[in-house]
């Protein structure tokens, strides 16, 4: 069975979307910068760190929508 995995670019797009939905202030700025730098350098996304911070934000925010869950799954597929 041939399975296609999401690309790093798709992972960064998912990270950017979730960052906009759940992060604010310095935390949002930090992740936007990290995402931009990673895309420019072609680096593997730091998804585990992102997911760790996202977990804290989701616990205090609203539950994830189906689209947000899809973005979350994309990040997991690439980074974990």
């Amino acid at each position: 069975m041939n399975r296609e995995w999401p690309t790093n670019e798709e992972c960064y797009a998912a990270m950017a979307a979730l960052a906009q939905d759940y992060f604010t202030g310095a935390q949002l700025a930090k992740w936007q910068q990290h995402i931009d730098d990673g895309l420019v350098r072609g680096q593997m996304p730091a998804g585990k760190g992102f997911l760790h911070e996202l977990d804290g934000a989701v616990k205090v925010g609203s539950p994830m929508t189906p689209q947000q869950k899809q973005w979350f799954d994309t990040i997991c597929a690439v980074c974990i």
Side-chain angles (χ1 to χ4, degrees):
M1 175 186 283
N2 187 13
R3 173 157 166 83
E4 298 221 9
W5 296 98
T7 65
N8 284 352
E9 291 78 14
E10 290 169 322
C11 181
Y12 279 123
M15 290 170 69
L18 285 172
Q20 286 294 322
D21 287 351
Y22 285 98
F23 298 153
T24 60
Q27 187 180 33
L28 176 58
K30 175 185 87 170
W31 281 106
Q32 285 175 324
Q33 185 65 52
H34 183 74
I35 291 163
D36 292 343
D37 290 347
L39 284 167
V40 168
R41 293 184 177 127
Q43 294 175 321
M44 176 77 174
K48 287 184 182 180
F50 180 85
L51 291 173
H52 176 73
E53 289 192 33
L54 181 66
D55 183 55
V58 170
K59 285 181 182 174
V60 298
S62 59
M64 287 189 168
T65 66
Q67 177 62 60
Q68 290 167 330
K69 288 178 185 174
Q70 184 178 355
W71 291 327
F72 181 88
D73 290 345
T74 296
I75 298 166
C76 289
V78 172
C79 300
I80 297 180

